[in-house]
Amino acid sequence: MTVNKGNVFSAEKLTEYMLSSLPEDSSPALNNSYDAVAILSHACMIAVGFRLVGLGEDHTLEAPPDPGESKPLPQEWNISASANYAFRYAHSQSSLQYVIKISRLGGKIVVNCVGIGDDKVHTLQVAVKDFLSESSFPFSILEGDNSESSRRRLQDLFISAGRVTDLGNLMKIQIIQKVAPGLHKEGYEESAHAASTAGTYRQHQSPPHHTNPSPAHDILRDDRMPPHAQPRPFNDPLTSTPRRPYPAGDFPPPGFEDEFEINRPVGVAGPERRPPNIGERDLYPPGLGPHDPLRGGDFGPRGGIGGGGMHPTFEDPLFGGGEAGNLNGR
């Protein structure tokens, strides 16, 4: 039977391929939903010009069909009680033969395809309940039923006509375009999604050094020393905070008194000690200041910076230093 030309993966065309592939005088023609997925997978291969040459790797048909011709499958194609199927195909545009094995795995169907001699397996997993209605099986071709009625009943095994097209597109993208890319068939176009998917796959499979040809540090060429040791924590929260800079402009704001020396440059000592060292002079012998006279220091309470004893004078920094003492001594 030769199927009409057009979009070979439309629901109508795939159903015609399925119907023409069912064995004659078989009742039921399809035992369960797994048979339906297997016959649809076979229809997708026939739709793009593959021809069946055997059931599995060791089986060979006596009279293989011509390219583009859909003949009924042998009676034993679905004889396995465990829902395992095998088909071997050839194509006029390829020197390889292709084997498809379909297996039931729980509530899913797993489709594996490999080109003999290529040994690269491509896989498709299908959740049967997402495409077919279990209550519609088994399916039989009624005696006296015309082809249009049988095709419509066969299509009704699926949840909708769109589900037939969806499953066909999955076969095209995940199996056909990967095992035999670039096929030319009237009514058949490769999906751009498969090309982008293949590009993404190759990108993820690229070795890491391809994505980073120039590493940041080459231990064989870069003789960098290890970083200097630093105290922990490096930013000590207990250290004094840096002083604020001078106010903006040429002069400080009017009336601004730098009481806390916030504008004093860092490292420059102020004129006074804050707080005053009251009682410091009491650590030395009477009459001697903090500077030893044998080393060039002055005698008496005026030696060095005045003040510091338990009885502060007007020269003590507590009262403003030596200037205040001089004024009171006049």
Side-chain angles (χ1 to χ4, degrees):
M1 177 181 178
T2 302
V3 183
N4 295 331
K5 296 180 180 180
N7 181 10
V8 295
F9 281 94
S10 65
E12 179 181 359
K13 295 299 184 291
L14 288 177
T15 308
E16 291 182 9
Y17 282 114
M18 292 169 62
L19 184 62
S20 62
S21 299
L22 291 177
E24 300 176 353
D25 302 328
S26 61
S27 183
L30 298 175
N31 297 308
N32 48 51
S33 57
Y34 304 102
D35 285 358
V37 174
I39 197 69
L40 178 57
S41 302
H42 170 71
C44 292
M45 300 297 287
I46 299 300
V48 293
F50 286 93
R51 65 184 186 275
L52 184 69
V53 295
L55 298 179
E57 299 182 44
D58 301 326
H59 180 271
T60 302
L61 296 179
E62 296 180 359
D66 297 329
E69 183 181 7
S70 178
K71 284 187 175 181
L73 292 171
Q75 294 285 346
E76 64 271 19
W77 78 275
N78 61 345
I79 197 173
S80 173
S82 57
N84 292 322
Y85 315 87
F87 306 98
R88 190 171 86 254
Y89 300 94
H91 200 283
S92 59
Q93 300 177 21
S94 174
S95 59
L96 299 179
Q97 290 190 349
Y98 303 89
V99 175
I100 284 185
K101 289 189 176 182
I102 304 172
S103 305
R104 175 183 178 180
L105 189 62
K108 290 187 175 182
I109 278 283
V110 179
V111 182
N112 293 311
C113 184
V114 63
I116 299 177
D118 183 16
D119 296 334
K120 188 173 183 179
V121 180
H122 301 279
T123 302
L124 169 65
Q125 296 184 18
V126 175
V128 176
K129 65 179 181 179
D130 294 340
F131 294 90
L132 292 134
S133 176
E134 293 284 349
S135 59
S136 302
F137 294 91
F139 172 80
S140 300
I141 300 177
L142 301 179
E143 187 176 353
D145 201 2
N146 57 35
S147 60
E148 179 61 27
S149 177
S150 298
R151 189 194 62 80
R152 187 167 53 252
R153 290 178 52 247
L154 182 58
Q155 182 174 299
D156 291 340
L157 297 176
F158 293 81
I159 296 175
S160 65
R163 295 275 76 184
V164 179
T165 304
D166 293 341
L167 187 52
N169 286 330
L170 287 175
M171 277 291 301
K172 177 178 71 172
I173 294 173
Q174 299 295 332
I175 300 296
I176 298 174
Q177 290 186 185
K178 291 185 177 181
V179 299
L183 290 179
H184 298 283
K185 170 74 174 179
E186 185 178 356
Y188 168 73
E189 293 182 359
E190 290 191 347
S191 173
H193 172 73
S196 61
T197 303
T200 304
Y201 175 80
R202 288 191 296 269
Q203 181 179 359
H204 288 302
Q205 295 298 318
S206 299
H209 64 273
H210 289 176
T211 59
N212 188 15
S214 300
H217 174 55
D218 188 351
I219 60 175
L220 299 179
R221 298 181 180 180
D222 198 351
D223 192 20
R224 293 184 295 184
M225 297 296 294
H228 297 288
Q230 297 178 347
R232 295 180 180 273
F234 183 69
N235 297 321
D236 191 352
L238 299 180
T239 57
S240 59
T241 57
R243 299 182 181 274
R244 291 185 294 175
Y246 288 99
D250 297 334
F251 303 98
F256 180 79
E257 295 182 2
D258 195 4
E259 180 180 359
F260 300 101
E261 301 180 0
I262 62 176
N263 289 329
R264 180 171 59 87
V266 179
V268 178
E272 302 177 359
R273 293 176 295 172
R274 293 185 180 272
N277 294 329
I278 300 175
E280 179 186 7
R281 281 294 183 93
D282 296 333
L283 300 176
Y284 302 96
L288 295 179
H291 300 284
D292 191 344
L294 299 179
R295 298 180 181 180
D298 297 332
F299 288 94
R302 297 180 181 270
I305 300 178
M310 293 186 64
H311 302 283
T313 64
F314 289 108
E315 295 179 350
D316 197 281
L318 185 65
F319 299 102
E323 183 180 356
N326 293 335
L327 292 175
N328 289 305
R330 291 177 182 175

